[in-house]
Protein backbone atom coordinates (compact mmCIF):
# COMPACT_ATOMS: atom_id res chain seq x y z
CA UNK A 1 0.00 0.00 0.00
CA UNK A 2 1.36 3.42 -0.90
CA UNK A 3 2.45 5.73 1.88
CA UNK A 4 -0.26 8.39 1.66
CA UNK A 5 -0.50 10.52 4.78
CA UNK A 6 -4.01 10.80 6.15
CA UNK A 7 -3.02 13.76 8.33
CA UNK A 8 -1.58 17.08 7.21
CA UNK A 9 1.46 18.78 8.73
CA UNK A 10 -0.71 20.12 11.55
CA UNK A 11 -2.21 16.72 12.39
CA UNK A 12 -5.58 17.44 10.77
CA UNK A 13 -7.39 14.79 8.78
CA UNK A 14 -6.98 15.33 5.01
CA UNK A 15 -8.08 11.88 3.77
CA UNK A 16 -9.67 8.88 5.50
CA UNK A 17 -8.36 5.66 3.96
CA UNK A 18 -7.97 3.32 6.95
CA UNK A 19 -8.13 3.41 10.76
CA UNK A 20 -4.72 1.75 10.92
CA UNK A 21 -2.15 4.16 12.27
CA UNK A 22 -4.54 6.95 13.22
CA UNK A 23 -3.91 8.28 16.74
CA UNK A 24 -6.39 7.51 19.51
CA UNK A 25 -7.00 11.25 19.87
CA UNK A 26 -8.12 11.49 16.22
CA UNK A 27 -10.50 8.55 16.58
CA UNK A 28 -11.92 9.93 19.82
CA UNK A 29 -12.42 13.36 18.29
CA UNK A 30 -14.35 11.85 15.36
CA UNK A 31 -16.57 9.85 17.75
CA UNK A 32 -17.17 12.92 19.93
CA UNK A 33 -18.03 15.01 16.87
CA UNK A 34 -20.47 12.34 15.64
CA UNK A 35 -22.13 12.38 19.07
CA UNK A 36 -22.56 16.16 18.69
CA UNK A 37 -24.42 15.64 15.40
CA UNK A 38 -26.61 12.99 17.03
CA UNK A 39 -27.44 15.37 19.90
CA UNK A 40 -28.26 18.14 17.42
CA UNK A 41 -30.51 15.78 15.46
CA UNK A 42 -32.41 14.81 18.61
CA UNK A 43 -33.04 18.54 19.14
CA UNK A 44 -34.44 18.85 15.62
CA UNK A 45 -31.30 20.42 14.16
CA UNK A 46 -30.44 18.05 11.31
CA UNK A 47 -29.18 20.56 8.74
CA UNK A 48 -25.80 22.25 8.98
CA UNK A 49 -23.96 24.64 6.68
CA UNK A 50 -20.34 23.59 7.15
CA UNK A 51 -19.95 22.20 3.59
CA UNK A 52 -22.02 24.87 1.84
CA UNK A 53 -20.47 25.46 -1.58
CA UNK A 54 -18.49 22.20 -1.48
CA UNK A 55 -18.95 19.36 -3.96
CA UNK A 56 -18.86 15.70 -2.87
CA UNK A 57 -18.83 12.94 -5.51
CA UNK A 58 -19.85 9.43 -4.43
CA UNK A 59 -17.93 7.19 -6.83
CA UNK A 60 -19.07 3.61 -6.31
CA UNK A 61 -17.52 0.82 -8.39
CA UNK A 62 -19.40 -1.78 -6.30
CA UNK A 63 -23.16 -2.03 -5.76
CA UNK A 64 -24.25 -0.47 -2.49
CA UNK A 65 -27.50 0.83 -1.09
CA UNK A 66 -26.97 1.33 2.64
CA UNK A 67 -23.47 2.80 2.54
CA UNK A 68 -24.02 5.03 -0.51
CA UNK A 69 -27.29 6.34 0.88
CA UNK A 70 -25.79 7.26 4.24
CA UNK A 71 -22.84 9.02 2.60
CA UNK A 72 -25.25 10.97 0.39
CA UNK A 73 -27.48 11.90 3.30
CA UNK A 74 -24.50 12.91 5.43
CA UNK A 75 -23.13 15.24 2.74
CA UNK A 76 -26.55 16.79 2.10
CA UNK A 77 -27.11 17.40 5.82
CA UNK A 78 -23.85 19.39 5.74
CA UNK A 79 -25.24 21.39 2.76
CA UNK A 80 -22.77 20.04 0.18
CA UNK A 81 -23.62 19.59 -3.49
CA UNK A 82 -23.66 15.82 -4.07
CA UNK A 83 -23.19 13.78 -7.25
CA UNK A 84 -23.69 9.98 -7.19
CA UNK A 85 -21.92 7.87 -9.81
CA UNK A 86 -22.32 4.08 -9.98
CA UNK A 87 -19.47 2.87 -12.16
CA UNK A 88 -19.21 -0.58 -13.70
CA UNK A 89 -15.82 -2.04 -12.87
CA UNK A 90 -13.78 -5.04 -13.90
CA UNK A 91 -10.52 -6.46 -12.58
CA UNK A 92 -8.69 -4.93 -15.54
CA UNK A 93 -10.03 -1.40 -15.20
CA UNK A 94 -7.47 -0.28 -12.55
CA UNK A 95 -4.38 1.80 -13.14
CA UNK A 96 -4.65 4.37 -15.91
CA UNK A 97 -8.43 3.99 -16.15
CA UNK A 98 -8.82 4.97 -12.52
CA UNK A 99 -6.37 7.80 -13.04
CA UNK A 100 -8.33 9.09 -16.01
CA UNK A 101 -11.57 8.82 -14.06
CA UNK A 102 -10.09 10.84 -11.22
CA UNK A 103 -8.71 13.58 -13.44
CA UNK A 104 -11.93 13.89 -15.43
CA UNK A 105 -14.01 14.30 -12.29
CA UNK A 106 -11.48 16.65 -10.68
CA UNK A 107 -12.07 18.96 -13.63
CA UNK A 108 -15.64 19.33 -12.33
CA UNK A 109 -14.21 21.14 -9.27
CA UNK A 110 -14.94 18.34 -6.81
CA UNK A 111 -13.71 18.82 -3.24
CA UNK A 112 -14.12 15.23 -2.03
CA UNK A 113 -14.45 11.79 -3.60
CA UNK A 114 -16.12 9.01 -1.63
CA UNK A 115 -14.71 5.83 -3.19
CA UNK A 116 -15.95 2.24 -3.00
CA UNK A 117 -14.07 -0.33 -5.08
CA UNK A 118 -13.59 -4.11 -5.08
CA UNK A 119 -9.80 -3.75 -5.32
CA UNK A 120 -7.79 -3.33 -2.12
CA UNK A 121 -5.78 -0.14 -2.40
CA UNK A 122 -8.09 1.70 -4.80
CA UNK A 123 -8.72 4.53 -2.34
CA UNK A 124 -4.98 4.87 -1.70
CA UNK A 125 -4.45 5.09 -5.46
CA UNK A 126 -6.89 7.96 -5.71
CA UNK A 127 -5.36 9.74 -2.73
CA UNK A 128 -1.86 9.37 -4.17
CA UNK A 129 -2.92 10.99 -7.44
CA UNK A 130 -5.51 13.52 -6.27
CA UNK A 131 -4.81 17.19 -6.80
CA UNK A 132 -3.82 19.24 -3.72
CA UNK A 133 -6.91 20.12 -1.71
CA UNK A 134 -9.00 17.22 -3.04
CA UNK A 135 -9.94 14.76 -0.28
CA UNK A 136 -10.46 11.01 -0.62
CA UNK A 137 -12.79 9.13 1.73
CA UNK A 138 -12.63 5.34 1.56
CA UNK A 139 -16.11 3.77 1.56
CA UNK A 140 -14.63 0.25 1.36
CA UNK A 141 -11.83 -1.19 -0.78
CA UNK A 142 -11.60 -4.92 -1.40
CA UNK A 143 -10.71 -6.81 1.75
CA UNK A 144 -8.59 -3.95 3.05
CA UNK A 145 -10.55 -1.32 4.95
CA UNK A 146 -13.93 0.24 5.63
CA UNK A 147 -12.96 3.01 8.05
CA UNK A 148 -16.33 4.74 8.49
CA UNK A 149 -17.96 1.38 9.26
CA UNK A 150 -15.22 0.85 11.83
CA UNK A 151 -15.92 4.25 13.37
CA UNK A 152 -19.67 3.72 13.56
CA UNK A 153 -19.09 0.35 15.20
CA UNK A 154 -16.80 1.99 17.76
CA UNK A 155 -19.36 4.73 18.38
CA UNK A 156 -22.14 2.19 18.91
CA UNK A 157 -20.05 0.19 21.36
CA UNK A 158 -19.06 3.34 23.27
CA UNK A 159 -22.66 4.51 23.51
CA UNK A 160 -23.88 1.18 24.90
CA UNK A 161 -20.91 0.23 27.08
CA UNK A 162 -19.64 3.70 28.05
CA UNK A 163 -16.12 2.92 26.89
CA UNK A 164 -13.94 0.86 24.55
CA UNK A 165 -10.97 0.35 26.86
CA UNK A 166 -11.00 -2.92 28.75
CA UNK A 167 -13.77 -4.60 26.74
CA UNK A 168 -13.72 -8.12 25.35
CA UNK A 169 -14.96 -8.19 21.75
CA UNK A 170 -15.56 -11.21 19.52
CA UNK A 171 -15.87 -10.96 15.72
CA UNK A 172 -17.63 -13.97 14.21
CA UNK A 173 -17.93 -15.18 10.63
CA UNK A 174 -16.22 -14.35 7.37
CA UNK A 175 -13.06 -12.73 8.69
CA UNK A 176 -11.13 -13.61 5.51
CA UNK A 177 -13.09 -11.37 3.14
CA UNK A 178 -14.10 -8.71 5.66
CA UNK A 179 -12.75 -5.17 5.41
CA UNK A 180 -15.17 -4.40 8.26
CA UNK A 181 -13.28 -6.81 10.53
CA UNK A 182 -9.90 -5.26 9.78
CA UNK A 183 -11.13 -1.72 10.45
CA UNK A 184 -12.84 -2.81 13.67
CA UNK A 185 -9.71 -4.57 14.90
CA UNK A 186 -7.49 -1.53 14.22
CA UNK A 187 -9.94 0.81 15.96
CA UNK A 188 -10.55 -1.45 18.96
CA UNK A 189 -6.84 -1.99 19.48
CA UNK A 190 -6.06 1.74 19.27
CA UNK A 191 -8.78 2.59 21.80
CA UNK A 192 -7.64 -0.04 24.28
CA UNK A 193 -9.96 -3.05 24.00
CA UNK A 194 -8.74 -5.72 26.41
CA UNK A 195 -9.30 -8.71 24.12
CA UNK A 196 -10.15 -8.98 20.43
CA UNK A 197 -11.22 -12.46 19.39
CA UNK A 198 -12.06 -13.76 15.93
CA UNK A 199 -14.12 -16.94 15.50
CA UNK A 200 -14.53 -18.72 12.16
CA UNK A 201 -13.71 -21.96 10.35
CA UNK A 202 -10.04 -22.22 9.34
CA UNK A 203 -10.95 -21.47 5.71
CA UNK A 204 -12.33 -18.05 6.68
CA UNK A 205 -9.41 -16.89 8.85
CA UNK A 206 -6.80 -14.84 6.94
CA UNK A 207 -3.10 -15.39 7.42
CA UNK A 208 -1.51 -12.86 9.75
CA UNK A 209 -4.66 -11.93 11.66
CA UNK A 210 -2.90 -12.65 14.97
CA UNK A 211 -0.31 -9.99 14.11
CA UNK A 212 -3.13 -7.43 14.24
CA UNK A 213 -3.73 -8.33 17.88
CA UNK A 214 -6.61 -10.79 17.47
CA UNK A 215 -6.90 -14.22 19.13
CA UNK A 216 -8.13 -16.93 16.77
CA UNK A 217 -10.88 -19.37 17.82
CA UNK A 218 -12.46 -22.18 15.85
CA UNK A 219 -14.86 -23.06 18.69
CA UNK A 220 -17.54 -20.35 18.87
CA UNK A 221 -18.77 -21.34 22.32
CA UNK A 222 -15.27 -20.87 23.72
CA UNK A 223 -14.86 -17.60 21.82
CA UNK A 224 -18.06 -16.14 23.29
CA UNK A 225 -17.13 -16.89 26.89
CA UNK A 226 -17.48 -13.68 28.98
CA UNK A 227 -17.39 -11.30 26.00
CA UNK A 228 -18.98 -7.84 26.16
CA UNK A 229 -19.57 -7.38 22.44
CA UNK A 230 -20.38 -9.85 19.63
CA UNK A 231 -19.77 -8.52 16.11
CA UNK A 232 -21.33 -10.83 13.53
CA UNK A 233 -20.03 -10.55 9.97
CA UNK A 234 -21.85 -11.30 6.75
CA UNK A 235 -20.80 -14.34 4.74
CA UNK A 236 -19.56 -12.69 1.54
CA UNK A 237 -20.58 -15.38 -0.90
CA UNK A 238 -19.92 -13.05 -3.84
CA UNK A 239 -16.20 -13.07 -2.95
CA UNK A 240 -15.96 -16.84 -2.44
CA UNK A 241 -14.53 -18.41 -5.56
CA UNK A 242 -13.87 -21.81 -4.00
CA UNK A 243 -15.40 -24.19 -1.47
CA UNK A 244 -14.91 -22.27 1.76
CA UNK A 245 -17.80 -23.97 3.59
CA UNK A 246 -19.44 -27.42 3.51
CA UNK A 247 -22.89 -25.77 3.63
CA UNK A 248 -24.68 -22.74 5.05
CA UNK A 249 -26.52 -25.04 7.44
CA UNK A 250 -23.30 -26.36 8.91
CA UNK A 251 -21.93 -22.82 9.22
CA UNK A 252 -25.03 -21.77 11.16
CA UNK A 253 -24.76 -24.82 13.41
CA UNK A 254 -21.10 -24.16 14.23
CA UNK A 255 -20.82 -20.35 13.97
CA UNK A 256 -24.33 -18.91 13.97
CA UNK A 257 -25.61 -16.93 16.96
CA UNK A 258 -28.53 -18.94 18.28
CA UNK A 259 -30.85 -18.35 21.22
CA UNK A 260 -28.96 -21.04 23.11
CA UNK A 261 -25.60 -19.32 22.59
CA UNK A 262 -27.00 -15.85 23.31
CA UNK A 263 -28.43 -17.08 26.62
CA UNK A 264 -24.92 -17.84 27.82
CA UNK A 265 -23.66 -14.31 27.15
CA UNK A 266 -23.32 -11.84 30.03
CA UNK A 267 -26.54 -9.85 30.61
CA UNK A 268 -24.96 -6.61 29.38
CA UNK A 269 -23.50 -8.08 26.16
CA UNK A 270 -24.60 -6.56 22.85
CA UNK A 271 -24.89 -8.04 19.35
CA UNK A 272 -23.82 -6.13 16.22
CA UNK A 273 -23.95 -6.78 12.48
CA UNK A 274 -22.87 -4.41 9.66
CA UNK A 275 -25.63 -5.68 7.36
CA UNK A 276 -27.08 -6.89 5.17
CA UNK A 277 -27.99 -9.86 7.37
CA UNK A 278 -28.24 -13.45 6.15
CA UNK A 279 -31.04 -14.52 8.50
CA UNK A 280 -30.73 -18.10 9.63
CA UNK A 281 -27.05 -18.14 8.72
CA UNK A 282 -25.12 -15.63 10.86
CA UNK A 283 -27.98 -15.21 13.35
CA UNK A 284 -31.35 -16.77 14.06
CA UNK A 285 -33.87 -14.65 12.20
CA UNK A 286 -35.97 -13.44 15.14
CA UNK A 287 -32.88 -12.28 17.04
CA UNK A 288 -31.83 -9.67 14.47
CA UNK A 289 -33.72 -6.88 16.22
CA UNK A 290 -33.99 -8.53 19.65
CA UNK A 291 -33.11 -6.95 23.01
CA UNK A 292 -29.35 -7.49 22.63
CA UNK A 293 -29.25 -6.18 19.06
CA UNK A 294 -27.85 -2.71 18.28
CA UNK A 295 -28.02 -3.18 14.52
CA UNK A 296 -30.42 -0.30 13.85
CA UNK A 297 -28.34 1.96 16.11
CA UNK A 298 -25.36 1.14 13.89
CA UNK A 299 -27.31 2.34 10.84
CA UNK A 300 -28.34 5.58 12.54
CA UNK A 301 -24.81 6.21 13.78
CA UNK A 302 -23.47 5.74 10.25
CA UNK A 303 -24.91 9.04 9.10
CA UNK A 304 -23.50 10.97 12.06
CA UNK A 305 -20.07 9.37 11.72
CA UNK A 306 -19.89 10.23 8.02
CA UNK A 307 -20.96 13.80 8.75
CA UNK A 308 -18.21 14.04 11.37
CA UNK A 309 -15.53 12.76 8.99
CA UNK A 310 -16.61 15.02 6.11
CA UNK A 311 -16.77 18.06 8.39
CA UNK A 312 -13.38 17.40 9.96
CA UNK A 313 -11.78 17.10 6.49
CA UNK A 314 -13.55 19.76 4.44
CA UNK A 315 -15.07 21.93 7.14
CA UNK A 316 -11.67 22.46 8.72
CA UNK A 317 -10.36 23.93 5.46
CA UNK A 318 -13.13 26.50 5.12
Amino acid sequence: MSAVSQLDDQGRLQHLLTLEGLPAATLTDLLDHADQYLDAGRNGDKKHASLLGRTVINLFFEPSTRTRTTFELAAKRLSADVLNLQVAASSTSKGETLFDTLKTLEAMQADMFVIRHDASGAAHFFAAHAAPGVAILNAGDGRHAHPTQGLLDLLTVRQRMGRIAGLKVCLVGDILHSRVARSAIHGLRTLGAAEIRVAAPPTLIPAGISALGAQVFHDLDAALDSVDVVMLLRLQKERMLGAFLPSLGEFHRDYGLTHQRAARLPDHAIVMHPGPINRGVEIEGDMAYGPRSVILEQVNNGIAVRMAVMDRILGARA
Side-chain angles (χ1 to χ4, degrees):
M1 212 67 72
S2 60
V4 176
S5 176
Q6 300 186 92
L7 303 177
D8 65 15
D9 293 340
Q10 297 177 317
R12 297 176 303 193
L13 203 61
Q14 58 181 356
H15 305 290
L16 181 62
L17 309 176
T18 174
L19 299 188
E20 183 177 12
L22 285 180
T26 299
L27 299 185
T28 301
D29 173 67
L30 290 171
L31 302 185
D32 291 346
H33 199 31
D35 262 336
Q36 291 171 347
Y37 281 124
L38 288 169
D39 288 340
R42 282 189 282 267
N43 292 324
D45 187 13
K46 294 181 180 179
K47 194 77 172 182
H48 305 269
S50 60
L51 298 195
L52 187 64
R54 301 288 188 158
T55 299
V56 175
I57 296 182
N58 292 323
L59 189 55
F60 277 55
F61 295 83
E62 283 188 321
S64 169
T65 300
R66 182 191 311 240
T67 303
R68 189 197 57 75
T69 301
T70 56
F71 271 111
E72 179 181 357
L73 196 52
K76 287 181 174 177
R77 286 187 179 176
L78 295 173
S79 303
D81 297 318
V82 182
L83 177 63
N84 296 310
L85 294 176
Q86 188 80 45
V87 185
S90 73
S91 60
T92 58
S93 63
K94 294 173 59 181
E96 189 174 1
T97 300
L98 281 182
F99 181 83
D100 288 342
T101 300
L102 171 65
K103 292 306 170 187
T104 299
L105 294 173
E106 275 183 355
M108 300 178 189
Q109 305 296 308
D111 298 291
M112 172 181 282
F113 291 98
V114 179
I115 308 288
R116 169 169 281 202
H117 201 287
D118 64 356
S120 298
H124 281 75
F125 177 89
F126 271 87
H129 295 87
V134 175
I136 303 299
L137 207 171
N138 185 5
D141 62 327
R143 303 178 184 182
H144 173 239
H146 195 345
T148 57
Q149 179 69 45
L151 286 168
L152 74 88
D153 289 341
L154 293 171
L155 180 62
T156 306
V157 171
R158 194 179 74 166
Q159 288 170 341
R160 278 301 190 102
M161 310 304 289
R163 69 193 196 286
I164 305 292
L167 296 180
K168 297 178 182 178
V169 181
C170 183
L171 290 81
V172 184
D174 188 355
I175 311 296
L176 177 66
H177 300 99
S178 180
R179 53 201 177 203
V180 173
R182 287 166 181 77
S183 290
I185 290 169
H186 287 307
L188 288 166
R189 188 178 60 178
T190 300
L191 295 183
E195 290 184 28
I196 305 170
R197 305 173 181 176
V198 294
T203 52
L204 293 180
I205 295 287
I209 194 74
S210 297
L212 300 183
Q215 303 174 53
V216 176
F217 289 76
H218 300 304
D219 179 339
L220 180 58
D221 294 308
L224 294 180
D225 180 47
S226 72
V227 297
D228 303 293
V229 179
V230 182
M231 289 189 178
L232 303 174
L233 300 170
R234 183 176 67 86
L235 276 182
Q236 300 187 40
K237 290 176 283 188
E238 72 277 14
R239 300 184 196 278
M240 296 183 185
L241 300 179
F244 288 86
L245 299 169
S247 71
L248 294 181
E250 289 185 56
F251 177 85
H252 179 67
R253 181 195 65 198
D254 294 337
Y255 294 98
L257 186 65
T258 61
H259 283 285
Q260 187 177 25
R261 287 189 170 115
R264 293 197 292 269
L265 293 171
D267 291 342
H268 65 272
I270 60 173
V271 174
M272 309 176 71
H273 194 299
I277 301 167
N278 292 313
R279 289 175 181 266
V281 179
E282 297 115 13
I283 186 171
E284 283 192 28
D286 63 343
M287 295 174 60
Y289 303 126
R292 292 187 185 276
S293 171
V294 296
I295 293 170
L296 295 180
E297 293 168 44
Q298 290 175 267
V299 176
N300 184 54
N301 286 340
I303 300 171
V305 157
R306 284 154 187 150
M307 291 173 70
V309 172
M310 289 177 173
D311 184 54
R312 281 294 185 249
I313 294 175
L314 290 183
R317 300 180 189 177

